[in-house]
Amino acid sequence: MKWGLRFLVVAYLVMLVAWPSAYVVKTTFDGGLTNLQEALSDPDVLHALKLSGVVALAAVAINLVFGVGMSLLLVRSRFPGRRVLSALLDLPLAVSPIVVGLALVLVYNGRFGWFGPTLEAHGLQVIFAEPGMIMATCFVALPLVIREVVPVLEDMGEEQEQAAQSLGATAWQTFWRVTLPGIKWAVVYGVVLSLARSLGEFGAVKVVAGNVSGETTTATVLVQQKYQNFEQGTAYAISFLLAIAAVVCLVVVALLRPQDHRPAKTAKTEENA
């Protein structure tokens, strides 16, 4: 029974992850480096990769700031509606990205949106521009930092922070010297997950971007366009580059993580034992 369950788990991972990923790599390098060279020599591909990077980094930076702040609010404060707020933070995991994109269009469209005409009157276009793409990406990656940081904050407790404040530390000093060192690896993991999720976002960005080649087309959308235009080699090459970017992020985290790093809860359990 034990070996049978192991076989099922391995087979599941192979069929769902390893096989499709290996096929993308194999197809990308079918003709050597030709597909990659052609993709990297295409101005539309280069612009799409650059745009995806800009949007992803901006979304990660925004989610990092608000994610850590929201985590502190949920763990260190007690207020009416706290559980409702915590549940709403998981909404991006339950709602289709297409719905998110459509909702942003309805609110920020320059013609009939609630805020769109006012914003465009002041020279700010949201939909079919980078701000809308960043907002859509922020939404879909919103819970990732929070759900990494909240459990670590709960395990840390408030004793060290209260001790620092009793010794005269300001709120910023307490956060910088006590709280942040305790949650830094949770923040790093959340950022890496957010970056990978942001680079791979397709549905919400496709709705709000307008998909003008060379202007508002991201790498994921360009994969679909190239594949449908019978440029499968370029499509596979872009997919490979996106996958490599995610793998590199995970490798960097694994190399930077100290060998003796353990989750706070595990360390506390062993100490009590």
Side-chain angles (χ1 to χ4, degrees):
M1 177 64 70
K2 179 173 65 176
W3 286 102
L5 291 176
R6 290 179 179 177
F7 175 79
L8 288 176
V9 171
V10 172
Y12 174 78
L13 292 176
V14 168
M15 295 294 293
L16 189 64
V17 180
W19 196 350
S21 301
Y23 184 78
V24 170
V25 175
K26 174 182 177 299
T27 309
T28 300
F29 293 99
D30 268 347
L33 298 177
T34 303
N35 289 333
L36 280 176
Q37 291 173 346
E38 291 180 354
L40 294 177
S41 62
D42 188 337
D44 289 342
V45 174
L46 294 178
H47 182 274
L49 291 172
K50 179 181 177 181
L51 181 60
S52 292
V54 170
V55 170
L57 291 175
V60 168
I62 294 171
N63 280 342
L64 171 61
V65 174
F66 286 95
V68 173
M70 189 63 67
S71 300
L72 289 170
L73 178 66
L74 291 174
V75 177
R76 297 293 187 252
S77 303
R78 296 294 182 269
F79 53 90
R82 174 174 169 270
R83 292 186 177 181
V84 176
L85 177 61
S86 180
L88 287 176
L89 292 175
D90 290 328
L91 189 62
L93 301 177
V95 176
S96 169
I98 298 293
V99 176
V100 175
L102 178 60
L104 290 174
V105 170
L106 293 176
V107 175
Y108 294 102
N109 187 278
R111 294 182 179 179
F112 52 81
W114 291 355
F115 306 121
T118 302
L119 292 174
E120 289 199 359
H122 290 81
L124 178 59
Q125 181 179 355
V126 176
I127 302 302
F128 308 139
E130 286 188 19
M133 300 163 68
I134 293 173
M135 291 175 64
T137 306
C138 283
F139 184 91
V140 298
L142 174 65
L144 299 179
V145 172
I146 298 173
R147 293 314 175 197
E148 289 290 331
V149 174
V150 164
V152 177
L153 279 174
E154 292 175 342
D155 287 337
M156 282 178 56
E158 301 182 42
E159 293 82 4
Q160 296 181 30
E161 296 173 354
Q162 291 174 351
Q165 292 172 357
S166 68
L167 294 174
T170 63
W172 174 250
Q173 290 173 330
T174 301
F175 170 77
W176 188 255
R177 298 183 180 180
V178 179
T179 307
L180 186 59
I183 64 173
K184 63 180 180 180
W185 285 110
V187 171
V188 170
Y189 298 148
V191 166
V192 171
L193 292 175
S194 295
L195 181 59
R197 180 68 182 86
S198 299
L199 286 172
E201 175 51 31
F202 173 79
V205 171
K206 182 177 174 62
V207 174
V208 302
N211 305 320
V212 179
S213 296
E215 295 184 16
T216 59
T217 301
T218 60
T220 51
V221 176
L222 190 61
V223 169
Q224 183 196 41
Q225 293 180 358
K226 292 294 185 181
Y227 191 85
Q228 291 178 343
N229 292 334
F230 302 102
E231 299 179 55
Q232 284 85 355
T234 303
Y236 284 121
I238 301 172
S239 301
F240 173 77
L241 292 173
L242 291 174
I244 286 296
V247 171
V248 167
C249 291
L250 296 177
V251 170
V252 169
V253 170
L255 293 176
L256 292 178
R257 180 177 58 184
Q259 296 297 322
D260 59 348
H261 172 72
R262 298 176 297 172
K265 186 174 183 179
T266 302
K268 186 184 295 184
T269 302
E270 292 182 2
E271 181 180 351
N272 292 336

